[in-house]
Amino acid sequence: MVAKKKGKRDLPAALAKMADEVIGSANKGKTPTLDIPVRSLANVRFNEQKRYIEMGSAKQEREFFNVNMAKKFMQTMCVAAACRQLEDEGKTTSIRDLFYMIKHRIDGSNENTVDDQSESDAVIEDLEVTAQFIREELNLFAENKGALAGEITLVDSGDTIDGRAVGSGGWAIPSIVEEDVIQFKKCTANFVLLIEKGAVWHRLNQDKFWRKHKCIILHGGGQPPRGVRRLCYRFVNELKLPLYVYVDNDPWGYYIYSVVKQGSINLAFESQRMAVPSARFIGLSSFDPEKFGLDKKSTAIGLDEGDIRRAKEILAYPWFQSKEWQKEIHNMLANGAKFELEALTNKSISFVTEEYLPRKIKEKDFLD
Amino acid sequence: MPSRNAAPEAAPRRRPEVKKATAHEMAARQRDISVAEFFQKNRHLLGFDNPRKALLTTVKEAVDNSLDACEEAGILPDITVKIEVARSGDGSLPTTPAQAERFIVTVQDNGPGIVKKNIGKVFAKLLYGSKFHRLRMSRGQQGIGISAAGMYGQLTTGKPTKVISKIEKEDQAHVFEVSIDTKKNEPVEHETKSISWDREHGTSVSIELEGRYQKGKGSVDEYLELTSIANPHASFAYHSPETAEPKKYPRGVEVLPAAPREIKPHPYGIELGMLLKMLQDTKSHWLSGFLSSEFVRVSSAVADEICKNAKLSPRARPRDVMGKDAEVLYKTLQTTKLMSPPTDCISPIGEKAILAGLYKEIDGDFYTAVTRPPSVYRGNPFVIEAGIAFGNKGFLPKDGDAPPEPAANGELALEEEGEKSGSKRALTLAELRKAARLKEKLAKEEERGPELARLIRFANRVPLVYQQTACATYKAATEVGWRKYGLTQSRGSLPQGSLCIFVHMGSVWVPFTSESKEAIADYDEIRKEIRLALQECGRKLGIHLNRIARAKYEMSRRDKFGLYIKEVAEACGKLKVKYGNVNVEKLKKQLQAVAEKVTGGEETEADLNRKENAPSELANTIIVTEKGLEGAVPEGLLNTKPIPVSPPDGAHQAEAGSGEDAADEAPAKGDEKEKGKAKGKAKGSASAQAAPPAKAAKTAPVPDDIPIYSGGKQVSGKKVKGNAGAALQPQKKGKGKGNQKELF
């Protein structure tokens, strides 16, 4: 890993500020306290102007000399110190590695600093919001998930990757896709297509969909992880490409789209770095089976109770209030059925690449 | 013991099939029943209902008599109790005390002795005594006790009571064998002789009786322990049939309780029959004179008023007031507004003395005592005293961060102690016992639920061991809301925990529920006083427990913060490298200081490990901490060190040998040693059999600075105190010659 890039924010300085709080309070004879933004539904709101979910301003005080918070406080400082070490040594680790970095027996006790990874994971998220550095900037990563292929050449940790020559598996999208890891070299794509499922992505890749339509196709294996979302963000913001999202026609598909577009409740604090408000919903729409003459009888799956409940929740989200979306969701409920992306294969194997997507793109048949 | 029902029936029976008796026939069957005969049939009323109880009652009556006699003569009592296994009726000697059916109980005191001509009557005539005819706070009241014990022995074994008595300045001691003619209620003296006895004065009573020897609740051991708590001015030695060496209950204070003043009855406290008897017996010539001279709180003016209200002439001859007149007089007496009786006739044990008594016999960490101001029920003055001994070890703050469970705690403590005092030392006997007790307690709790508090009850310094639940003290103790004071308690029962509740009622007339004097009758006034006294003790305990709980909690927080401080400070150190840097060690100290500040500062430490005096709200309280005793610790106790390390037996013997009296002492092991053995102490109280009366100990009101010595404790007392002798009092001038062993 390379040294700090120009323009990169100074992580050690931000972390040192946390130490300063401890030192300053100790000097004054006061209890050291960290102000940590609250990460919960109560502290999340939809910013109408920016079109994404934002975290509110509520903060909780984490006091060192409070029995209920002392351990978390200590853990927060330990994680901060570990991140500083990673920064100094120019390495990234998984969050599991970090758990083992800070885990040790506390002197003079039979207690460990951390006993379960869930403790350090929660503290990492606290640290992200407190120091205002996202996980990737803290040199931490989660499991790799997702793949990419298409009309782009990029550099990954110094290796040049030609998106048109990545074989059938595609290029595995790393967890960290920040500028210092991934640089875009050459892009000939006109748009980016984010696909919910690896299997459908595979169909498109095999059919070289990206070559014919000059695009980048990627998938996130269900709910796209941060790396995939962050990469989409960069495509849209740095390469000025439109982003289309292609998901199942069910409430979960809708929500995946909304997370890509507006950000998630869980990671609201990262919306500004990840949300792509300009993303468009390309399909599968609840009107598509009709439109494309699908054999509904053989391809529809009935909505179950959970689907209906989730659909109603989504109907209520502020970012699904447009007329079109309400129509879309109500239509699904009226159909009483959901459709998977693979349903299109019922027509023919390459129906999706040869008929469905070209027609959608041509007709600009998107939902906003 | 023969069955009660086997006695020939003298009273007329009613049987439907029998021909109706005429008045004459019935008259022929009606005759006097001697008191002795009556009690022979009703001995359960006197505490002789079963062999085990009979054994205890016998000891009890004799000890009560001894204590009363000594106190009245101004002598610090030294009492020896011996129980020996006797040959059974068929002449065989049982192999173990548990199998034995007959015992010889001997109780010997250093009292003033009994005049020769009275000996027979004292020990073999029911209702003979000095106490019934006056209103004064004393142990016995009716003069039934010791003669009843003698009679019981006589009935069950046919053996007479043996008495040895010596009066001061007489050369010879008198030896008697007396029995009772149960029909005539008259003593029969079997044998009289004189022997030389190497003590100046004293009495020894031996009764052979049918009994059963069993330890535990209601045993002689328990009775002596309790007596010793309520009578810390007395010392006891107990030769049980099981052990060769006497168990000792050392003296806790060196001052006799104030002699109670005798008072005349208060009109509210008498019954009509008693009034009639008093009218007949009085020496007054006029009714008004009778009233003002025979009762307290009746002045001549009040007496005249009473006569007027009763429409009787003040000049009437008392003997002529009878029948209806007497009844009117009685009612008038009850309705006339009179001052309460004086209360200075009551001699409480005193808070300091109760503390000393509890402290020397009960193992605990916290002791407190309260003496209520005297009060009155039905014209009888009384005083209630209460005390609490509490074992803190079992107490834990409710907080989840609290230290580990008691078991682990106790064991841990032992281990630590062992380490501190050097690897060579094995655990002392006391510690092993303590550990064993702890284990036993935990096992018990698992089996039968949590341990309930032990209630120890006393009336005029006499322990009450039976019929606990019928007693006003029990009712009051269960009525108190102990939860307020930090204890656990189920509704309507005693609180839980290692707690000993002491209640004493002192009165010129303690109302018992029965003749066997086992439970105090439940008068509202009495119960209320008991409750108030217990509440006061409870409050003090609550304050103490709160403080400990809070301090422990704060300490656990502080410890926890302390652990994390290192982590946080070191993390800060890493974060500040090249960004200003920081002195990690200094930061640790600063954080430690803040942590201490937010956890109650120095007070926390002080509460857990108090060296200074207890806070003012805990008057008359002893708190045992790791560093020693604190609180209202009487002077003598202050010098004691916390549980010392007992040297191995060999070393101990050598040390003991250096004490002058040590050789004479019955060999006591390790911690059982009497104070007499302590270095530099020539005279041991246990060996001071015959202190010259009046000089040895003055009867005095309980002063604030009652000297209390902290002599070695009984093993049963569970505590082991060192350098006991240092606290011995100068007025103790025991002769040190008497050796208890030779008396038997």
Side-chain angles (χ1 to χ4, degrees):
Chain A
M1 184 80 51
V2 289
K4 285 194 296 278
K5 276 220 159 188
K6 222 168 135 194
K8 186 179 173 180
R9 296 189 300 144
D10 193 350
L11 176 65
L15 296 177
K17 270 187 197 158
M18 291 169 62
D20 288 338
E21 161 56 30
V22 176
I23 296 160
S25 294
N27 272 329
K28 285 183 228 150
K30 286 183 180 164
T31 296
T33 305
L34 295 173
D35 285 341
I36 296 178
V38 176
R39 290 179 294 110
S40 77
L41 225 117
N43 194 30
V44 158
R45 68 189 176 93
F46 180 59
N47 186 324
E48 295 278 353
Q49 273 189 329
K50 295 179 183 164
R51 306 296 301 166
Y52 59 70
I53 299 167
E54 278 186 332
M55 193 155 66
S57 56
K59 287 188 176 178
Q60 63 182 62
E61 292 193 336
R62 179 165 295 169
E63 295 176 354
F64 185 13
F65 296 133
N66 176 319
V67 177
N68 299 323
M69 307 182 198
K71 189 160 192 177
K72 272 236 159 139
F73 187 98
M74 178 270 291
Q75 290 169 341
T76 310
M77 297 307 292
C78 288
V79 170
C83 290
R84 167 71 197 270
Q85 190 189 338
L86 288 174
E87 181 77 12
D88 285 353
E89 295 179 11
K91 289 184 180 145
T92 58
T93 67
S94 68
I95 51 180
R96 180 105 188 125
D97 280 333
L98 183 103
F99 165 64
Y100 280 110
M101 274 178 78
I102 65 166
K103 182 178 179 181
H104 63 262
R105 184 58 56 102
I106 299 171
D107 279 1
S109 77
N110 48 9
E111 195 179 340
N112 288 329
T113 46
V114 281
D115 286 313
D116 194 282
Q117 197 190 325
S118 63
E119 293 175 60
S120 61
D121 285 358
V123 167
I124 290 166
E125 293 185 351
D126 287 339
L127 192 63
E128 287 179 73
V129 293
T130 307
Q132 305 217 325
F133 279 77
I134 60 170
R135 180 172 306 179
E136 290 74 8
E137 294 173 302
L138 294 174
N139 304 305
L140 300 172
F141 60 81
E143 205 189 326
N144 285 354
K145 215 165 103 181
L148 174 146
E151 294 286 323
I152 188 166
T153 305
L154 44 76
V155 178
D156 174 3
S157 305
D159 299 337
T160 303
I161 310 287
D162 183 350
R164 287 155 296 200
V166 288
S168 59
W171 170 65
I173 303 168
S175 168
I176 299 182
V177 295
E178 296 309 305
E179 233 177 312
D180 53 348
V181 183
I182 309 287
Q183 298 95 35
F184 303 141
K185 205 168 168 187
K186 190 184 168 205
C187 176
T188 48
N190 295 324
F191 65 91
V192 180
L193 184 66
L194 175 61
I195 299 151
E196 180 178 342
K197 289 169 166 174
V200 178
W201 177 87
H202 194 258
R203 166 91 271 115
L204 266 65
N205 189 29
Q206 201 172 46
D207 292 352
K208 303 292 179 213
F209 179 84
W210 42 267
R211 182 177 290 158
K212 193 172 176 190
H213 295 278
K214 291 277 170 207
C215 68
I216 300 167
I217 55 168
L218 41 72
H219 77 89
Q223 181 68 264
R226 289 188 194 205
V228 173
R229 287 176 58 200
R230 179 72 179 148
L231 193 60
C232 289
Y233 177 92
R234 289 189 62 200
F235 285 150
V236 170
N237 287 279
E238 292 173 29
L239 303 177
K240 310 293 173 199
L241 297 175
L243 173 67
Y244 305 129
V245 182
Y246 184 44
V247 293
D248 283 346
N249 179 231
D250 62 19
W252 321 97
Y254 295 152
Y255 189 67
I256 285 172
Y257 162 72
S258 88
V259 165
V260 171
K261 189 178 172 80
Q262 283 103 5
S264 71
I265 295 167
N266 283 345
L267 300 178
F269 61 96
E270 287 182 333
S271 291
Q272 54 173 337
R273 314 185 131 258
M274 295 206 195
V276 184
S278 63
R280 295 290 180 273
F281 176 82
I282 195 167
L284 218 45
S285 160
S286 59
F287 295 100
D288 286 347
E290 195 80 28
K291 214 178 277 180
F292 290 88
L294 276 183
D295 178 2
K296 280 206 226 167
K297 269 181 197 156
S298 51
T299 53
I301 301 171
L303 292 175
D304 62 22
E305 272 179 41
D307 294 331
I308 294 169
R309 187 168 26 84
R310 187 77 184 117
K312 285 181 176 164
E313 275 171 17
I314 286 172
L315 270 176
Y317 285 145
W319 49 92
F320 277 109
Q321 294 309 311
S322 72
K323 212 190 282 172
E324 291 76 16
W325 267 110
Q326 293 285 318
K327 220 169 107 190
E328 165 73 28
I329 299 167
H330 279 297
N331 187 51
M332 178 186 71
L333 287 169
N335 287 343
K338 56 185 180 181
F339 294 89
E340 288 192 280
L341 292 178
E342 290 88 337
L344 297 176
T345 315
N346 189 249
K347 300 265 313 174
S348 73
I349 292 171
S350 292
F351 181 77
V352 61
T353 52
E354 287 164 10
E355 303 232 5
Y356 179 79
L357 286 174
R359 181 174 154 194
K360 278 268 183 181
I361 292 163
K362 196 177 149 205
E363 294 177 2
K364 294 198 184 305
D365 184 8
F366 311 132
L367 274 177
D368 184 6
Chain B
M1 162 173 167
S3 156
R4 253 178 261 146
N5 303 331
E9 193 53 74
R13 299 173 192 222
R14 269 193 277 153
R15 287 251 174 83
E17 70 271 22
V18 170
K19 199 182 83 185
K20 276 174 194 163
T22 67
H24 285 291
E25 283 167 345
M26 285 167 75
R29 288 199 293 263
Q30 288 160 352
R31 57 185 164 93
D32 277 348
I33 301 167
S34 84
V35 192
E37 221 174 349
F38 172 77
F39 282 120
Q40 182 185 341
K41 284 178 192 153
N42 294 287
R43 58 183 170 223
H44 57 283
L45 293 179
L46 298 171
F48 296 93
D49 16 1
N50 62 55
R52 181 177 186 225
K53 207 166 161 188
L55 187 65
L56 173 64
T57 305
T58 303
V59 170
K60 182 176 154 162
E61 296 296 350
V63 168
D64 287 355
N65 271 11
S66 289
L67 286 171
D68 271 344
C70 288
E71 282 164 24
E72 207 171 336
I75 301 165
L76 282 172
D78 288 316
I79 294 169
T80 309
V81 176
K82 185 172 189 176
I83 297 178
E84 294 162 286
V85 173
R87 289 193 178 278
S88 304
D90 57 7
S92 64
L93 196 62
T95 45
T96 66
Q99 291 170 336
E101 292 164 355
R102 286 188 183 192
F103 296 88
I104 301 170
V105 170
T106 305
V107 174
Q108 178 182 302
D109 63 44
N110 59 339
I114 300 165
V115 182
K116 191 177 161 187
K117 71 174 171 63
N118 280 349
I119 285 181
K121 286 180 176 173
V122 166
F123 292 103
K125 182 175 167 75
L126 295 176
L127 298 176
Y128 182 87
S130 59
K131 301 166 192 167
F132 190 65
H133 301 282
R134 50 189 187 170
L135 276 181
R136 203 189 117 157
M137 184 178 151
S138 63
R139 292 182 178 78
Q141 272 165 346
Q142 295 94 335
I144 290 176
I146 189 64
S147 16
M151 192 177 73
Y152 173 81
Q154 186 184 326
L155 284 169
T156 53
T157 67
K159 301 276 173 66
T161 302
K162 286 181 191 149
V163 182
I164 307 172
S165 173
K166 186 175 175 188
I167 296 172
E168 200 181 8
K169 286 177 187 149
E170 278 188 9
D171 291 339
Q172 297 273 296
H174 301 283
V175 182
F176 298 84
E177 292 203 351
V178 292
S179 54
I180 186 167
D181 180 332
T182 55
K183 275 202 175 148
K184 294 181 192 151
N185 186 20
E186 284 298 332
V188 180
E189 296 179 4
H190 285 273
E191 187 190 325
T192 309
K193 65 176 183 185
S194 295
I195 58 158
S196 63
W197 202 15
D198 73 332
R199 51 170 50 200
E200 299 205 343
H201 50 81
T203 309
S204 167
V205 192
S206 295
I207 296 171
E208 184 169 341
L209 70 155
E210 219 169 63
R212 202 156 69 80
Y213 179 80
Q214 191 190 334
K215 293 202 152 192
K217 197 154 169 59
S219 65
V220 173
D221 304 61
E222 189 199 22
Y223 166 76
L224 286 176
E225 182 199 359
L226 296 179
T227 306
S228 162
I229 291 171
N231 299 275
H233 61 286
S235 83
F236 298 91
Y238 172 41
H239 301 254
S240 80
E242 282 181 324
T243 49
E245 291 157 19
K247 188 166 173 179
K248 301 207 170 155
Y249 302 86
R251 187 169 283 133
V253 292
E254 298 285 328
V255 180
L256 277 169
R261 210 163 57 83
E262 195 173 328
I263 60 160
K264 301 254 192 292
H266 190 279
Y268 292 173
I270 60 161
E271 275 150 20
L272 178 59
M274 192 169 167
L275 177 65
L276 287 171
K277 188 168 185 300
M278 288 170 76
L279 284 165
Q280 296 304 308
D281 291 351
T282 183
K283 286 173 187 150
S284 300
H285 300 293
W286 294 339
L287 183 59
S288 63
F290 160 77
L291 291 173
S292 57
S293 62
E294 298 287 333
F295 291 100
V296 286
R297 299 307 193 208
V298 179
S299 63
S300 42
V302 174
D304 287 343
E305 194 197 321
I306 291 169
C307 294
K308 204 177 113 197
N309 291 343
K311 302 203 169 62
L312 292 169
S313 162
R315 301 290 152 120
R317 271 177 34 149
R319 219 162 298 173
D320 297 341
V321 180
M322 47 174 107
K324 218 174 168 195
D325 286 347
E327 244 177 272
V328 173
L329 179 64
Y330 179 74
K331 278 189 186 141
T332 314
L333 278 173
Q334 301 308 306
T335 49
T336 307
K337 207 166 161 58
L338 297 169
M339 275 175 75
S340 290
T343 49
D344 57 354
C345 53
I346 306 291
S347 159
I349 300 173
E351 285 154 346
K352 296 274 190 298
I354 295 173
L355 279 183
L358 286 174
Y359 177 74
K360 74 189 182 74
E361 296 298 336
I362 309 268
D363 187 24
D365 304 319
F366 174 90
Y367 303 85
T368 190
V370 167
T371 299
R372 294 281 307 160
S375 182
V376 174
Y377 81 95
R378 284 193 53 201
N380 295 310
F382 72 99
V383 68
I384 293 296
E385 298 179 280
I388 281 180
F390 182 76
N392 213 359
K393 303 283 185 285
F395 176 77
L396 293 170
K398 281 168 195 156
D399 185 81
D401 296 325
E405 49 189 347
N409 238 7
E411 279 158 19
L412 218 69
L414 282 183
E415 277 169 25
E416 277 168 18
E417 216 174 308
E419 275 168 29
K420 267 183 230 158
S421 48
S423 50
K424 279 180 199 165
R425 183 183 77 97
L427 293 178
T428 63
L429 195 64
E431 283 163 344
L432 286 172
R433 287 219 168 97
K434 202 161 185 169
R437 270 201 339 270
L438 201 68
K439 225 174 176 178
E440 200 179 306
K441 192 185 135 195
L442 286 167
K444 253 192 219 164
E445 276 187 23
E446 255 172 44
E447 271 174 37
R448 282 177 241 152
E451 174 195 12
L452 287 184
R454 176 185 179 201
L455 174 65
I456 54 179
R457 306 169 287 136
F458 302 87
N460 284 348
R461 297 166 180 264
V462 177
L464 310 174
V465 289
Y466 290 102
Q467 295 189 9
Q468 171 167 289
T469 48
C471 189
T473 57
Y474 178 81
K475 287 171 188 167
T478 53
E479 239 170 51
V480 171
W482 293 98
R483 287 190 211 179
K484 280 196 296 260
Y485 313 129
L487 298 171
T488 338
Q489 180 188 23
S490 314
R491 181 173 281 274
S493 66
L494 292 171
Q496 294 163 10
S498 346
L499 180 73
C500 180
I501 302 171
F502 168 103
V503 181
H504 173 241
M505 173 175 181
S507 177
V508 294
W509 190 266
V510 178
F512 289 108
T513 55
S514 78
E515 217 31 69
S516 54
K517 299 197 237 170
E518 284 160 346
I520 297 170
D522 187 12
Y523 283 90
D524 284 349
E525 298 92 330
I526 297 173
R527 187 146 139 197
K528 182 183 159 205
E529 279 296 313
I530 298 171
R531 203 175 52 233
L532 289 173
L534 288 176
Q535 280 169 345
E536 203 173 315
C537 288
R539 267 194 297 279
K540 292 194 217 171
L541 177 62
I543 290 167
H544 172 69
L545 290 185
N546 258 335
R547 196 203 321 278
I548 294 286
R550 200 178 53 230
K552 274 192 179 164
Y553 171 68
E554 291 291 3
M555 229 8 149
S556 77
R557 286 177 67 204
R558 188 182 293 181
D559 288 348
K560 189 169 186 174
F561 298 155
L563 286 178
Y564 298 161
I565 280 172
K566 180 173 167 275
E567 301 293 332
V568 168
E570 280 171 5
C572 286
K574 285 182 198 161
L575 292 172
K576 290 291 281 178
V577 170
K578 288 186 212 152
Y579 281 81
N581 293 322
V582 66
N583 180 340
V584 173
E585 289 310 312
K586 185 183 159 207
L587 179 60
K588 278 186 198 168
K589 279 189 190 126
Q590 284 175 327
L591 287 172
Q592 196 65 50
V594 181
E596 271 172 37
K597 199 174 87 183
V598 301
T599 53
E602 289 175 0
E603 237 175 71
T604 300
E605 245 168 16
D607 279 340
L608 283 181
N609 244 336
R610 195 171 281 277
K611 292 143 255 162
E612 307 296 315
N613 285 333
S616 52
E617 68 263 32
L618 293 182
N620 289 313
T621 297
I622 303 177
I623 300 168
V624 181
T625 68
E626 282 166 26
K627 299 240 169 122
L629 304 176
E630 59 148 307
V633 187
E635 226 175 276
L637 290 179
L638 261 185
N639 293 332
T640 25
K641 281 189 182 140
I643 306 168
V645 176
S646 284
D649 270 3
H652 176 70
Q653 294 297 1
E655 187 199 330
S658 68
E660 272 183 45
D661 290 29
D664 284 346
E665 290 273 349
K669 260 196 188 168
D671 311 315
E672 300 179 31
K673 64 173 170 180
E674 273 287 2
K675 67 173 178 179
K677 281 192 176 177
K679 273 195 237 169
K681 257 305 111 207
K683 315 300 177 190
S685 73
S687 52
Q689 285 290 354
K695 271 184 216 161
K698 278 179 216 125
T699 308
V702 182
D704 274 353
D705 56 343
I706 288 190
I708 295 190
Y709 82 73
S710 50
K713 288 199 167 190
Q714 296 297 335
V715 161
S716 72
K718 290 131 195 172
K719 245 183 246 169
V720 191
K721 302 281 159 159
N723 75 342
L728 263 180
Q729 302 310 311
Q731 75 254 51
K732 187 69 206 160
K733 286 180 188 151
K735 295 275 170 195
K737 284 276 157 55
N739 185 329
Q740 292 153 340
K741 278 201 282 187
E742 74 194 39
L743 294 173
F744 291 102

